[in-house]
């Protein structure tokens, strides 16, 4: 993917966002003064140490939790303003593939019904249309209609992750947050999913926040990347620049661990 | 030198849910050896790990074959007998650590229960053992971790907690299903070092299921490649990584992203669980080398060279022209 595409105005902006958790005797600054932006059709890769706050940042961006300080602006609107919060359009514009695919589904509900319920929240559709759309989505991620009739526990790790991707792309979001979205896939299916995401990016101009610990993979897909460490963004730049000339010790370690 | 001591032997193991998912799987693991298992998503790797420990998901059953642990058949054992072997002598890291850890219990409780169900020891001792393993796995802030519920920890933290739980009783056999999928690369290296240390110091036999070829390269002595419920290639890890023989394995290697290989290719896809020819090679519908005979003749695992076996009748032709 070329890195010198014309970058448009950011569609998502994270402004000086912090979030901490308190645990009895200690305060955990999970996200600490983070700034970043994603333009339409742009892929921002996010790598970083385990526990550095990537998933917390993802949950902040999708509005699941609120920042202590700072703003998250989507399409010019603060997502945590009451009047914007109620808007369905706002919600369907940011979608997420969760790190733990199994628990992002209702464990007692068939996959097809989960996706159907999701479609209900965003569109008016007849039962047949929903069924058709669900099967089409599953097919895109390499699953068969039969998988729609299973509960999450009856799918393999990678099949469940792909069902989560199918659900997230069902509303044609403007921003797709992928939190380790291909970590349970074999490399061949991973390549196929990456082809799908790249096609969606080109056709629909979706912007991605692509969280992954797989630096070589981020290098394939991202236009820019950010390195997170202990709640802060250490450095940002093109993957090429960061891989060839990492500025921080952590990034240097990460880059050399990714060589094989 | 002593002859190698066999720890696990799986013989002709078949498993089915509503559909067949494992077809006569056979392999052995010896003391002090690490076997890596790679393969397609949905090919049956997790089912294999679960079947070996008698913990198949609801609806799953073993339809043929046997599992020998230190030479003793264990699939037919009484439930409580199996339970005492499990955890103590055979430990498992499941693919989905968040789902396996009890969400209503602090991590501390998990360790206390695991250790004390097999040994008479104090709670303090159980926790200090946990802390010392955390440190080796680069899990910082150990006291806070023990005091946390799983939902208060990140994906990679929970994964290392699950690994630490599997190591705490120093098992003879460790089965780890995608144990590093949520770890960043620097920590992944450290976790692998800990697996290697266990193998070197205690002679633990280890099976690691992984999608990560880097993990295979760093940890595995031998590799098995699973496709659609069958082992299609197995043998010495160096040989298979350097010179894969089976068309599926060859395709898999081409899909690995590296800093240089940015154009990752997928093996042209068919839907999972699609009806395929039952008689011939199960990879034939996707194989660029498939001939008419491939669709008709059942393929067997044949020796190609010392400790390198492949389930493909055209392997010699293909690898001459490669
Ligand atoms: N609900 C919570 N209560 C208390 N602490 C939390 C909570 N959620 C997250 N944390 C803490 O915040 C920090 C950041 O966690 P987060 O899940 O964002 O990390 P991450 O970068 O996604 O890590 P990984 O790569 O391992 O998934 C961790 O120290 C974690 O323990
Ligand atoms: N409880 C169940 N009921 C029905 N089918 C199941 C059940 N559990 C698993 N399966 C099916 O069995 C096959 C093998 O699943 P398994 O979880 O063993 O695959 P895997 O190789 O571990 O895949 P992954 O790499 O994606 O984790 C899959 O097609 C899956 O859909
Ligand atoms: S037996 Fe035939 S179809 Fe199967 S892998 Fe070999 S060449 Fe391909
Ligand atoms: Mg995370
Ligand atoms: Mg699995």
């Amino acid at each position: 993917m070329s890195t010198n595409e014309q970058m448009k105005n950011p569609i998502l902006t994270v402004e000086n966002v912090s979030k901490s958790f308190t645990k009895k005797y200690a305060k955990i600054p999970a996200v600490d003064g983070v700034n970043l932006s994603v333009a339409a059709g742009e892929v921002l890769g996010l790598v970083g140490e385990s526990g550095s706050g990537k998933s917390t940042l993802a949950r902040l961006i999708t509005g699941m939790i609120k920042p202590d300080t700072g703003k998250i602006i989507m399409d010019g609107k603060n997502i945590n303003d009451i009047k914007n919060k109620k808007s369905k359009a706002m919600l369907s514009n940011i979608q997420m593939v969760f790190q733990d695919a199994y628990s992002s589904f209702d464990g007692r509900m068939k996959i097809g019904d989960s996706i159907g319920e999701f479609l209900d929240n965003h569109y008016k559709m007849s039962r047949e249309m929903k069924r058709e759309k669900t099967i089409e989505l599953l097919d895109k991620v390499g699953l068969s209609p039969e998988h729609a009739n299973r509960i999450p526990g009856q799918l393999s790790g990678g099949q469940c992750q792909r069902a989560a991707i199918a659900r997230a792309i069902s509303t044609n979001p403007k921003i797709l947050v992928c939190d380790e979205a291909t970590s349970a896939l074999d490399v061949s299916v991973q390549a196929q999913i990456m082809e799908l995401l790249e096609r969606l990016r080109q056709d629909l101009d979706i912007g991605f926040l692509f969280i992954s610990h797989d630096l070589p993979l981020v290098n394939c897909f991202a236009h820019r990347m950010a390195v997170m460490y202990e709640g802060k963004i250490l450095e940002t730049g093109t993957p090429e620049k960061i891989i060839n000339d990492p500025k921080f010790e952590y990034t240097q370690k990460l880059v050399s661990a990714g060589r094989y | 030198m002593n002859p190698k001591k066999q720890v696990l032997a799986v013989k002709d193991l078949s498993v089915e849910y509503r559909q067949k998912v494992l077809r006569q799987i056979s392999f052995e693991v010896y003391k002090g050896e690490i076997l890596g298992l790679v393969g397609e998503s949905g090919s049956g790797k997790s089912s294999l790990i679960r079947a070996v420990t008698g913990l198949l998901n609801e609806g799953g059953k073993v339809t043929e074959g046997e599992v020998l642990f230190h030479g003793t058949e264990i699939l037919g054992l009484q439930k409580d007998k199996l339970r005492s072997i499990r955890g103590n002598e055979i430990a498992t890291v499941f693919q989905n650590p968040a789902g396996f850890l009890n969400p209503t219990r602090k991590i501390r409780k998990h360790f206390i229960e695991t250790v004390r169900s097999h040994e008479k020891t104090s709670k303090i001792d159980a926790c200090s053992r946990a802390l010392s393993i955390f440190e080796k796995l680069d899990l910082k802030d150990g006291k806070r971790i023990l005091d946390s519920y799983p939902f208060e920890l990140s994906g990679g933290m929970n994964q290392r907690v699950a690994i630490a739980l599997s190591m705490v009783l120093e098992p003879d056999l460790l089965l780890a299903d995608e144990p590093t999928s949520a770890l960043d690369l620097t920590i992944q290296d450290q976790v692998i070092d800990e697996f290697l240390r266990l193998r070197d110091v205690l002679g633990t036999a280890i099976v690691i299921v992984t999608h990560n070829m880097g993990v295979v390269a760093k940890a595995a002595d031998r590799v098995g490649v699973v496709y659609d419920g069958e082992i299609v290639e197995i043998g010495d890890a160096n040989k298979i990584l350097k010179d894969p023989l089976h068309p599926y394995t060859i395709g898999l290697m081409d899909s690995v992203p590296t800093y240089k290989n940015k154009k990752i290719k997928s093996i042209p896809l068919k839907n999972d669980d699609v009806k395929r020819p039952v008689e011939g090679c199960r990879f034939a519908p996707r194989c660029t080398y498939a001939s008419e005979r491939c669709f008709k003749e059942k393929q067997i695992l044949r020796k190609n060279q010392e400790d390198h076996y492949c389930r493909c009748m055209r392997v010699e032709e293909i690898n001459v022209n490669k």
Side-chain angles (χ1 to χ4, degrees), chain A residues 253-254 256-260, chain B residues 136-138 180 183-196 212 214-215 218-219:
Chain A
K253 261 175 39 189
L254 196 63
S256 72
R259 254 179 246 288
Y260 49 77
Chain B
K136 290 176 193 138
L137 299 176
D138 202 16
T180 65
L183 303 179
D184 82 61
L185 297 170
T186 62
I187 293 174
Q188 184 175 294
D189 278 356
Q190 202 153 335
V191 168
I192 292 171
D193 285 346
E194 196 49 28
F195 279 117
L196 293 173
N212 188 320
V215 171
K218 284 169 188 157

Side-chain angles (χ1 to χ4, degrees), chain A residues 111-165:
Chain A
I111 291 293
D113 295 339
S114 278
I115 296 179
E117 192 183 76
F118 198 73
L119 288 169
D120 276 339
N121 288 336
H122 298 283
Y123 300 109
K124 269 208 158 18
M125 273 189 184
S126 70
R127 191 184 273 259
E128 290 75 55
M129 272 173 70
K130 254 191 331 198
R131 174 90 194 149
E132 232 167 76
K133 175 87 179 164
T134 303
I135 287 173
E136 179 198 315
L137 286 163
L138 290 178
D139 182 62
K140 278 192 176 157
V141 295
L143 297 176
S144 68
E146 195 260 323
H147 290 115
N149 299 323
R150 302 216 198 143
I151 58 169
Q154 295 171 330
L155 295 178
S156 78
Q159 288 166 343
C160 191
Q161 199 165 45
R162 282 179 277 165
I165 293 170

Side-chain angles (χ1 to χ4, degrees), chain A residues 23 49 150 162 186 213 255, chain B residues 41 140 152 181 259 273:
Chain A
K23 184 84 207 152
E49 212 189 19
R150 302 216 198 143
R162 282 179 277 165
D186 68 79
H213 54 78
V255 169
Chain B
S41 167
K140 294 170 195 127
E152 295 175 318
S181 64
Y259 294 143
D273 294 5

Side-chain angles (χ1 to χ4, degrees), chain B residues 209-225:
Chain B
V209 175
T210 181
H211 288 308
N212 188 320
M213 294 300 169
V215 171
V216 174
K218 284 169 188 157
D221 303 303
R222 302 183 79 230
V223 187
V225 183

Side-chain angles (χ1 to χ4, degrees), chain A residues 19-23 28-31 46-59 65 99 179-180 211-213 228 231, chain B residues 141 144-145 148-160 182-184 187:
Chain A
K19 172 81 191 174
S20 56
F21 299 100
T22 22
K23 184 84 207 152
I28 307 154
V31 172
L46 182 63
V47 302
E49 212 189 19
S50 170
S52 62
K54 303 179 297 297
S55 297
T56 305
L57 184 60
R59 289 193 291 153
I65 52 175
Q99 185 167 15
D179 194 357
E180 303 289 359
I211 302 173
S212 172
H213 54 78
M228 207 163 167
Chain B
D141 235 358
R144 195 249 292 183
I145 305 244
S148 297
Y149 293 98
F151 78 89
E152 295 175 318
L153 301 177
S154 79
M157 290 170 164
N158 276 325
Q159 196 159 45
R160 280 173 287 167
L183 303 179
D184 82 61
I187 293 174

